[in-house]
Amino acid sequence: MRSVDLGFAYKLVPARDGGAPAPVLLLHGTGGDESDLLPLGEALAPGAALLSPRGKVLENGMPRFFRRLAEGVFDLKDVEARAHELADFVQGARELHHLGEARPIAVGFSNGANIAAAMLLLRPEVLGGAILFRAMVPIVPATPPDLGGIRVFLGAGRRDPIASPAETDRLSGLLKEAGASVTVQWADAGHSLTAGDVEAAKAWLG
Ligand code: MLT
């Protein structure tokens, strides 16, 4: 079989009969990899195809999806370039693996949520929706995208020192301005994901 290089290391779990029609794009946090979120994807959307790339930027050996200059200070040029690179990967993987007509729903945590938000803002045609756990505003696009018809779930922690409540409000506002339908779910938690976050996101996904 001819191997096609899509430019990312990734795992693909094919859809099972009766699984959700939209594939799920899993985007890990800093220091994670392509295996990390597979159980989360299966819990949120049982039987859906799971596409899980590994971030290509290394920070002290830890994979990420874009470069940062310090905690919460992002290299905006890199955010932009990496969002396009990942968007192209998603399109290529959909075609290569025959993932169907429905656009993927991104599920991202922390740095993975931030690159998913960047993709929504810079390449609004790629995703069908997104579940963003502990996300921040990754970039403010020069031209506001049209996110009409796109649903976004923001899972935020009231005591999150990294993705602060103010950041959540900013991101929610930016996405709403672009026409997305945004649900913010507040957990009484910090930056780490809780069982309650997963339950709420699953209910939202329906
Ligand atoms: C992280 O540690 O991943 C940050 O909090 C979020 C980011 O840098 O994108």
Side-chain angles (χ1 to χ4, degrees):
M1 192 175 104
R2 193 167 67 96
S3 76
V4 177
D5 184 4
L6 294 175
F8 279 81
Y10 67 97
K11 284 202 167 149
L12 177 86
V13 178
R16 292 196 306 272
D17 282 348
V24 172
L25 173 69
L26 297 168
L27 299 166
H28 63 78
T30 302
D33 68 20
E34 64 275 29
S35 299
D36 265 26
L37 298 188
L38 295 174
L40 176 64
E42 172 63 22
L44 289 172
L50 305 177
L51 175 64
S52 186
R54 186 198 312 161
K56 285 162 55 161
V57 171
L58 288 181
E59 185 184 272
N60 301 321
M62 296 185 295
R64 287 174 53 84
F65 287 97
F66 56 81
R67 253 168 52 82
R68 64 179 164 182
L69 308 174
E71 177 70 63
V73 184
F74 303 147
D75 176 336
L76 296 181
K77 269 204 156 63
D78 197 58
V79 171
E80 186 167 350
R82 302 281 176 187
H84 284 293
E85 187 183 40
L86 187 61
D88 293 342
F89 160 78
V90 172
Q91 304 287 47
R94 283 182 69 193
E95 213 177 297
L96 179 66
H97 297 293
H98 309 288
L99 294 182
E101 290 303 308
R103 289 186 283 171
I105 307 295
V107 173
F109 170 67
S110 191
N111 180 246
N114 293 346
I115 194 72
M119 267 201 293
L120 283 171
L121 294 166
L122 297 170
R123 292 286 292 274
E125 77 283 7
V126 173
L127 298 173
I131 294 175
L132 308 180
F133 293 115
R134 311 300 188 262
M136 303 159 72
V137 174
I139 195 163
V140 177
T143 319
D146 178 4
L147 292 174
I150 303 280
R151 294 171 73 226
V152 182
F153 173 98
L154 296 182
R158 277 188 208 288
R159 291 178 282 105
D160 190 337
I162 299 167
S164 67
E167 267 300 300
T168 302
D169 290 342
R170 256 184 90 209
L171 180 59
S172 162
L174 194 59
L175 294 168
K176 278 185 191 158
E177 256 170 50
S181 156
V182 181
T183 299
V184 182
Q185 177 75 32
W186 293 99
D188 186 21
H191 198 62
S192 304
L193 208 56
T194 66
D197 284 302
V198 179
E199 254 170 55
K202 185 170 180 170
W204 173 87
L205 196 57

PDB file of all heavy atoms in Angstrom, residues 28-31 59 64-68 70-74 109-115 134 136 160 162-163 191, ligand 1:
ATOM      1  N   HIS A  28      -4.653  17.260  21.862  1.00  0.00           N
ATOM      2  CA  HIS A  28      -4.148  17.108  23.231  1.00  0.00           C
ATOM      3  C   HIS A  28      -3.562  18.418  23.794  1.00  0.00           C
ATOM      4  O   HIS A  28      -3.285  19.362  23.056  1.00  0.00           O
ATOM      5  CB  HIS A  28      -3.071  16.009  23.260  1.00  0.00           C
ATOM      6  CG  HIS A  28      -1.860  16.319  22.425  1.00  0.00           C
ATOM      7  ND1 HIS A  28      -0.874  17.187  22.833  1.00  0.00           N
ATOM      8  CD2 HIS A  28      -1.469  15.880  21.191  1.00  0.00           C
ATOM      9  CE1 HIS A  28       0.062  17.258  21.908  1.00  0.00           C
ATOM     10  NE2 HIS A  28      -0.276  16.485  20.883  1.00  0.00           N
ATOM     11  N   GLY A  29      -3.312  18.410  25.081  1.00  0.00           N
ATOM     12  CA  GLY A  29      -2.667  19.547  25.741  1.00  0.00           C
ATOM     13  C   GLY A  29      -1.143  19.433  25.679  1.00  0.00           C
ATOM     14  O   GLY A  29      -0.600  18.426  25.191  1.00  0.00           O
ATOM     15  N   THR A  30      -0.462  20.443  26.189  1.00  0.00           N
ATOM     16  CA  THR A  30       1.012  20.456  26.190  1.00  0.00           C
ATOM     17  C   THR A  30       1.564  19.199  26.875  1.00  0.00           C
ATOM     18  O   THR A  30       1.149  18.866  27.984  1.00  0.00           O
ATOM     19  CB  THR A  30       1.525  21.702  26.943  1.00  0.00           C
ATOM     20  OG1 THR A  30       0.997  22.853  26.298  1.00  0.00           O
ATOM     21  CG2 THR A  30       3.041  21.770  26.941  1.00  0.00           C
ATOM     22  N   GLY A  31       2.486  18.533  26.189  1.00  0.00           N
ATOM     23  CA  GLY A  31       3.097  17.336  26.763  1.00  0.00           C
ATOM     24  C   GLY A  31       2.319  16.067  26.486  1.00  0.00           C
ATOM     25  O   GLY A  31       2.745  14.986  26.894  1.00  0.00           O
ATOM     26  N   GLU A  59       8.359  21.764  23.154  1.00  0.00           N
ATOM     27  CA  GLU A  59       8.806  22.710  24.185  1.00  0.00           C
ATOM     28  C   GLU A  59       9.449  21.873  25.283  1.00  0.00           C
ATOM     29  O   GLU A  59       8.730  21.138  25.982  1.00  0.00           O
ATOM     30  CB  GLU A  59       7.591  23.485  24.726  1.00  0.00           C
ATOM     31  CG  GLU A  59       7.955  24.566  25.704  1.00  0.00           C
ATOM     32  CD  GLU A  59       6.711  25.239  26.277  1.00  0.00           C
ATOM     33  OE1 GLU A  59       6.230  26.199  25.684  1.00  0.00           O
ATOM     34  OE2 GLU A  59       6.238  24.770  27.332  1.00  0.00           O
ATOM     35  N   ARG A  64       3.412  20.279  21.462  1.00  0.00           N
ATOM     36  CA  ARG A  64       2.366  21.302  21.486  1.00  0.00           C
ATOM     37  C   ARG A  64       1.931  21.560  20.045  1.00  0.00           C
ATOM     38  O   ARG A  64       2.583  21.128  19.109  1.00  0.00           O
ATOM     39  CB  ARG A  64       2.911  22.638  22.021  1.00  0.00           C
ATOM     40  CG  ARG A  64       3.199  22.725  23.471  1.00  0.00           C
ATOM     41  CD  ARG A  64       3.860  24.066  23.822  1.00  0.00           C
ATOM     42  NE  ARG A  64       3.132  25.238  23.343  1.00  0.00           N
ATOM     43  CZ  ARG A  64       2.114  25.820  23.978  1.00  0.00           C
ATOM     44  NH1 ARG A  64       1.718  25.338  25.131  1.00  0.00           N
ATOM     45  NH2 ARG A  64       1.520  26.886  23.469  1.00  0.00           N
ATOM     46  N   PHE A  65       0.861  22.349  19.908  1.00  0.00           N
ATOM     47  CA  PHE A  65       0.372  22.654  18.555  1.00  0.00           C
ATOM     48  C   PHE A  65       0.855  23.999  18.023  1.00  0.00           C
ATOM     49  O   PHE A  65       0.672  24.294  16.865  1.00  0.00           O
ATOM     50  CB  PHE A  65      -1.155  22.566  18.516  1.00  0.00           C
ATOM     51  CG  PHE A  65      -1.623  21.129  18.570  1.00  0.00           C
ATOM     52  CD1 PHE A  65      -2.008  20.556  19.764  1.00  0.00           C
ATOM     53  CD2 PHE A  65      -1.625  20.347  17.423  1.00  0.00           C
ATOM     54  CE1 PHE A  65      -2.410  19.225  19.818  1.00  0.00           C
ATOM     55  CE2 PHE A  65      -2.010  19.022  17.465  1.00  0.00           C
ATOM     56  CZ  PHE A  65      -2.412  18.453  18.670  1.00  0.00           C
ATOM     57  N   PHE A  66       1.424  24.839  18.878  1.00  0.00           N
ATOM     58  CA  PHE A  66       2.062  26.069  18.393  1.00  0.00           C
ATOM     59  C   PHE A  66       3.039  26.562  19.453  1.00  0.00           C
ATOM     60  O   PHE A  66       2.989  26.137  20.611  1.00  0.00           O
ATOM     61  CB  PHE A  66       1.035  27.163  18.045  1.00  0.00           C
ATOM     62  CG  PHE A  66       0.112  27.535  19.170  1.00  0.00           C
ATOM     63  CD1 PHE A  66       0.507  28.418  20.164  1.00  0.00           C
ATOM     64  CD2 PHE A  66      -1.168  27.005  19.243  1.00  0.00           C
ATOM     65  CE1 PHE A  66      -0.330  28.765  21.198  1.00  0.00           C
ATOM     66  CE2 PHE A  66      -2.030  27.346  20.289  1.00  0.00           C
ATOM     67  CZ  PHE A  66      -1.612  28.222  21.265  1.00  0.00           C
ATOM     68  N   ARG A  67       3.915  27.458  19.033  1.00  0.00           N
ATOM     69  CA  ARG A  67       4.943  27.978  19.932  1.00  0.00           C
ATOM     70  C   ARG A  67       4.381  29.041  20.884  1.00  0.00           C
ATOM     71  O   ARG A  67       3.514  29.818  20.496  1.00  0.00           O
ATOM     72  CB  ARG A  67       6.032  28.658  19.081  1.00  0.00           C
ATOM     73  CG  ARG A  67       7.334  27.895  18.993  1.00  0.00           C
ATOM     74  CD  ARG A  67       8.227  28.481  17.919  1.00  0.00           C
ATOM     75  NE  ARG A  67       8.429  29.929  18.054  1.00  0.00           N
ATOM     76  CZ  ARG A  67       9.314  30.489  18.883  1.00  0.00           C
ATOM     77  NH1 ARG A  67      10.092  29.749  19.632  1.00  0.00           N
ATOM     78  NH2 ARG A  67       9.438  31.795  18.939  1.00  0.00           N
ATOM     79  N   ARG A  68       4.897  29.069  22.084  1.00  0.00           N
ATOM     80  CA  ARG A  68       4.565  30.183  22.984  1.00  0.00           C
ATOM     81  C   ARG A  68       5.868  30.770  23.499  1.00  0.00           C
ATOM     82  O   ARG A  68       6.901  30.088  23.559  1.00  0.00           O
ATOM     83  CB  ARG A  68       3.656  29.732  24.132  1.00  0.00           C
ATOM     84  CG  ARG A  68       4.279  28.747  25.064  1.00  0.00           C
ATOM     85  CD  ARG A  68       3.349  28.359  26.204  1.00  0.00           C
ATOM     86  NE  ARG A  68       3.864  27.144  26.847  1.00  0.00           N
ATOM     87  CZ  ARG A  68       3.287  26.516  27.842  1.00  0.00           C
ATOM     88  NH1 ARG A  68       2.149  26.955  28.340  1.00  0.00           N
ATOM     89  NH2 ARG A  68       3.814  25.425  28.365  1.00  0.00           N
ATOM     90  N   ALA A  70       5.955  32.500  26.480  1.00  0.00           N
ATOM     91  CA  ALA A  70       5.866  32.279  27.931  1.00  0.00           C
ATOM     92  C   ALA A  70       4.476  31.719  28.179  1.00  0.00           C
ATOM     93  O   ALA A  70       3.660  31.664  27.254  1.00  0.00           O
ATOM     94  CB  ALA A  70       6.048  33.601  28.679  1.00  0.00           C
ATOM     95  N   GLU A  71       4.193  31.324  29.413  1.00  0.00           N
ATOM     96  CA  GLU A  71       2.846  30.840  29.742  1.00  0.00           C
ATOM     97  C   GLU A  71       1.809  31.897  29.342  1.00  0.00           C
ATOM     98  O   GLU A  71       1.886  33.038  29.803  1.00  0.00           O
ATOM     99  CB  GLU A  71       2.766  30.563  31.256  1.00  0.00           C
ATOM    100  CG  GLU A  71       1.409  30.120  31.758  1.00  0.00           C
ATOM    101  CD  GLU A  71       1.040  28.725  31.293  1.00  0.00           C
ATOM    102  OE1 GLU A  71       1.726  27.776  31.656  1.00  0.00           O
ATOM    103  OE2 GLU A  71       0.064  28.606  30.530  1.00  0.00           O
ATOM    104  N   GLY A  72       0.932  31.545  28.463  1.00  0.00           N
ATOM    105  CA  GLY A  72      -0.141  32.460  28.053  1.00  0.00           C
ATOM    106  C   GLY A  72       0.276  33.535  27.058  1.00  0.00           C
ATOM    107  O   GLY A  72      -0.546  34.369  26.678  1.00  0.00           O
ATOM    108  N   VAL A  73       1.545  33.542  26.641  1.00  0.00           N
ATOM    109  CA  VAL A  73       2.006  34.534  25.651  1.00  0.00           C
ATOM    110  C   VAL A  73       2.357  33.774  24.370  1.00  0.00           C
ATOM    111  O   VAL A  73       3.378  33.065  24.313  1.00  0.00           O
ATOM    112  CB  VAL A  73       3.242  35.318  26.146  1.00  0.00           C
ATOM    113  CG1 VAL A  73       3.624  36.405  25.151  1.00  0.00           C
ATOM    114  CG2 VAL A  73       2.982  35.910  27.526  1.00  0.00           C
ATOM    115  N   PHE A  74       1.521  33.917  23.370  1.00  0.00           N
ATOM    116  CA  PHE A  74       1.646  33.066  22.193  1.00  0.00           C
ATOM    117  C   PHE A  74       2.424  33.750  21.071  1.00  0.00           C
ATOM    118  O   PHE A  74       2.356  34.973  20.908  1.00  0.00           O
ATOM    119  CB  PHE A  74       0.247  32.668  21.698  1.00  0.00           C
ATOM    120  CG  PHE A  74      -0.583  31.973  22.753  1.00  0.00           C
ATOM    121  CD1 PHE A  74      -1.965  32.132  22.795  1.00  0.00           C
ATOM    122  CD2 PHE A  74       0.017  31.172  23.707  1.00  0.00           C
ATOM    123  CE1 PHE A  74      -2.726  31.499  23.774  1.00  0.00           C
ATOM    124  CE2 PHE A  74      -0.731  30.524  24.687  1.00  0.00           C
ATOM    125  CZ  PHE A  74      -2.104  30.690  24.721  1.00  0.00           C
ATOM    126  N   PHE A 109      -8.111  20.061  24.523  1.00  0.00           N
ATOM    127  CA  PHE A 109      -7.841  20.433  25.904  1.00  0.00           C
ATOM    128  C   PHE A 109      -6.657  21.394  25.952  1.00  0.00           C
ATOM    129  O   PHE A 109      -5.604  21.106  25.353  1.00  0.00           O
ATOM    130  CB  PHE A 109      -7.538  19.187  26.756  1.00  0.00           C
ATOM    131  CG  PHE A 109      -7.009  19.522  28.124  1.00  0.00           C
ATOM    132  CD1 PHE A 109      -7.824  20.161  29.057  1.00  0.00           C
ATOM    133  CD2 PHE A 109      -5.695  19.261  28.470  1.00  0.00           C
ATOM    134  CE1 PHE A 109      -7.334  20.521  30.308  1.00  0.00           C
ATOM    135  CE2 PHE A 109      -5.193  19.607  29.721  1.00  0.00           C
ATOM    136  CZ  PHE A 109      -6.017  20.239  30.645  1.00  0.00           C
ATOM    137  N   SER A 110      -6.825  22.523  26.608  1.00  0.00           N
ATOM    138  CA  SER A 110      -5.740  23.471  26.860  1.00  0.00           C
ATOM    139  C   SER A 110      -5.070  23.886  25.549  1.00  0.00           C
ATOM    140  O   SER A 110      -5.715  24.500  24.704  1.00  0.00           O
ATOM    141  CB  SER A 110      -4.762  22.849  27.868  1.00  0.00           C
ATOM    142  OG  SER A 110      -3.856  23.808  28.336  1.00  0.00           O
ATOM    143  N   ASN A 111      -3.804  23.559  25.324  1.00  0.00           N
ATOM    144  CA  ASN A 111      -3.162  23.978  24.075  1.00  0.00           C
ATOM    145  C   ASN A 111      -3.924  23.423  22.866  1.00  0.00           C
ATOM    146  O   ASN A 111      -4.038  24.102  21.826  1.00  0.00           O
ATOM    147  CB  ASN A 111      -1.696  23.514  24.054  1.00  0.00           C
ATOM    148  CG  ASN A 111      -0.982  23.925  22.787  1.00  0.00           C
ATOM    149  OD1 ASN A 111      -0.601  23.081  21.987  1.00  0.00           O
ATOM    150  ND2 ASN A 111      -0.825  25.225  22.556  1.00  0.00           N
ATOM    151  N   GLY A 112      -4.476  22.221  22.988  1.00  0.00           N
ATOM    152  CA  GLY A 112      -5.270  21.642  21.895  1.00  0.00           C
ATOM    153  C   GLY A 112      -6.559  22.411  21.666  1.00  0.00           C
ATOM    154  O   GLY A 112      -7.015  22.574  20.522  1.00  0.00           O
ATOM    155  N   ALA A 113      -7.165  22.895  22.753  1.00  0.00           N
ATOM    156  CA  ALA A 113      -8.373  23.720  22.616  1.00  0.00           C
ATOM    157  C   ALA A 113      -8.021  25.043  21.942  1.00  0.00           C
ATOM    158  O   ALA A 113      -8.784  25.582  21.138  1.00  0.00           O
ATOM    159  CB  ALA A 113      -8.999  23.964  23.984  1.00  0.00           C
ATOM    160  N   ASN A 114      -6.831  25.552  22.267  1.00  0.00           N
ATOM    161  CA  ASN A 114      -6.427  26.844  21.692  1.00  0.00           C
ATOM    162  C   ASN A 114      -6.177  26.747  20.188  1.00  0.00           C
ATOM    163  O   ASN A 114      -6.549  27.646  19.437  1.00  0.00           O
ATOM    164  CB  ASN A 114      -5.182  27.365  22.418  1.00  0.00           C
ATOM    165  CG  ASN A 114      -5.480  27.733  23.856  1.00  0.00           C
ATOM    166  OD1 ASN A 114      -6.643  27.851  24.227  1.00  0.00           O
ATOM    167  ND2 ASN A 114      -4.453  27.909  24.662  1.00  0.00           N
ATOM    168  N   ILE A 115      -5.572  25.653  19.738  1.00  0.00           N
ATOM    169  CA  ILE A 115      -5.356  25.530  18.286  1.00  0.00           C
ATOM    170  C   ILE A 115      -6.704  25.270  17.587  1.00  0.00           C
ATOM    171  O   ILE A 115      -6.927  25.732  16.463  1.00  0.00           O
ATOM    172  CB  ILE A 115      -4.296  24.442  17.931  1.00  0.00           C
ATOM    173  CG1 ILE A 115      -3.835  24.583  16.468  1.00  0.00           C
ATOM    174  CG2 ILE A 115      -4.806  23.039  18.132  1.00  0.00           C
ATOM    175  CD1 ILE A 115      -2.959  25.748  16.173  1.00  0.00           C
ATOM    176  N   ARG A 134     -10.905  24.373  28.719  1.00  0.00           N
ATOM    177  CA  ARG A 134      -9.853  25.265  29.268  1.00  0.00           C
ATOM    178  C   ARG A 134      -9.146  26.036  28.154  1.00  0.00           C
ATOM    179  O   ARG A 134      -7.915  26.055  28.056  1.00  0.00           O
ATOM    180  CB  ARG A 134      -8.831  24.477  30.093  1.00  0.00           C
ATOM    181  CG  ARG A 134      -9.440  23.533  31.140  1.00  0.00           C
ATOM    182  CD  ARG A 134     -10.297  24.271  32.160  1.00  0.00           C
ATOM    183  NE  ARG A 134     -10.712  23.399  33.253  1.00  0.00           N
ATOM    184  CZ  ARG A 134     -11.899  22.778  33.337  1.00  0.00           C
ATOM    185  NH1 ARG A 134     -12.825  22.939  32.388  1.00  0.00           N
ATOM    186  NH2 ARG A 134     -12.178  22.036  34.393  1.00  0.00           N
ATOM    187  N   MET A 136      -8.314  29.476  25.618  1.00  0.00           N
ATOM    188  CA  MET A 136      -8.015  30.908  25.683  1.00  0.00           C
ATOM    189  C   MET A 136      -8.214  31.503  24.297  1.00  0.00           C
ATOM    190  O   MET A 136      -8.423  30.766  23.334  1.00  0.00           O
ATOM    191  CB  MET A 136      -6.559  31.115  26.119  1.00  0.00           C
ATOM    192  CG  MET A 136      -6.247  30.472  27.445  1.00  0.00           C
ATOM    193  SD  MET A 136      -4.479  30.183  27.688  1.00  0.00           S
ATOM    194  CE  MET A 136      -3.915  31.842  27.950  1.00  0.00           C
ATOM    195  N   ASP A 160      -9.478  28.444  37.269  1.00  0.00           N
ATOM    196  CA  ASP A 160      -8.367  28.144  36.359  1.00  0.00           C
ATOM    197  C   ASP A 160      -7.407  29.333  36.305  1.00  0.00           C
ATOM    198  O   ASP A 160      -7.780  30.417  35.857  1.00  0.00           O
ATOM    199  CB  ASP A 160      -8.933  27.845  34.957  1.00  0.00           C
ATOM    200  CG  ASP A 160      -7.876  27.291  34.006  1.00  0.00           C
ATOM    201  OD1 ASP A 160      -6.676  27.537  34.252  1.00  0.00           O
ATOM    202  OD2 ASP A 160      -8.253  26.631  33.032  1.00  0.00           O
ATOM    203  N   ILE A 162      -4.766  29.563  34.447  1.00  0.00           N
ATOM    204  CA  ILE A 162      -4.144  29.665  33.116  1.00  0.00           C
ATOM    205  C   ILE A 162      -5.167  30.196  32.109  1.00  0.00           C
ATOM    206  O   ILE A 162      -4.981  31.248  31.498  1.00  0.00           O
ATOM    207  CB  ILE A 162      -3.575  28.294  32.691  1.00  0.00           C
ATOM    208  CG1 ILE A 162      -2.502  27.848  33.695  1.00  0.00           C
ATOM    209  CG2 ILE A 162      -3.010  28.350  31.276  1.00  0.00           C
ATOM    210  CD1 ILE A 162      -2.078  26.409  33.572  1.00  0.00           C
ATOM    211  N   ALA A 163      -6.243  29.443  31.919  1.00  0.00           N
ATOM    212  CA  ALA A 163      -7.332  29.919  31.062  1.00  0.00           C
ATOM    213  C   ALA A 163      -8.352  30.559  32.011  1.00  0.00           C
ATOM    214  O   ALA A 163      -9.288  29.904  32.465  1.00  0.00           O
ATOM    215  CB  ALA A 163      -7.938  28.757  30.284  1.00  0.00           C
ATOM    216  N   HIS A 191      -7.444  24.092  36.156  1.00  0.00           N
ATOM    217  CA  HIS A 191      -7.131  23.844  34.747  1.00  0.00           C
ATOM    218  C   HIS A 191      -7.383  22.383  34.341  1.00  0.00           C
ATOM    219  O   HIS A 191      -7.580  22.092  33.167  1.00  0.00           O
ATOM    220  CB  HIS A 191      -5.667  24.222  34.477  1.00  0.00           C
ATOM    221  CG  HIS A 191      -5.350  24.413  33.027  1.00  0.00           C
ATOM    222  ND1 HIS A 191      -5.956  25.380  32.249  1.00  0.00           N
ATOM    223  CD2 HIS A 191      -4.506  23.745  32.184  1.00  0.00           C
ATOM    224  CE1 HIS A 191      -5.482  25.306  30.998  1.00  0.00           C
ATOM    225  NE2 HIS A 191      -4.608  24.320  30.950  1.00  0.00           N
TER     226      HIS A 191
HETATM  227  C1  MLT B   1      -0.761  25.079  28.008  1.00  0.00           C
HETATM  228  O1  MLT B   1      -0.045  24.761  28.944  1.00  0.00           O
HETATM  229  O2  MLT B   1      -0.993  24.320  27.098  1.00  0.00           O
HETATM  230  C2  MLT B   1      -1.317  26.452  28.028  1.00  0.00           C
HETATM  231  O3  MLT B   1      -1.945  26.690  29.147  1.00  0.00           O
HETATM  232  C3  MLT B   1      -2.169  26.752  26.870  1.00  0.00           C
HETATM  233  C4  MLT B   1      -1.296  27.047  25.713  1.00  0.00           C
HETATM  234  O4  MLT B   1      -0.134  27.338  25.914  1.00  0.00           O
HETATM  235  O5  MLT B   1      -1.801  26.995  24.590  1.00  0.00           O
END
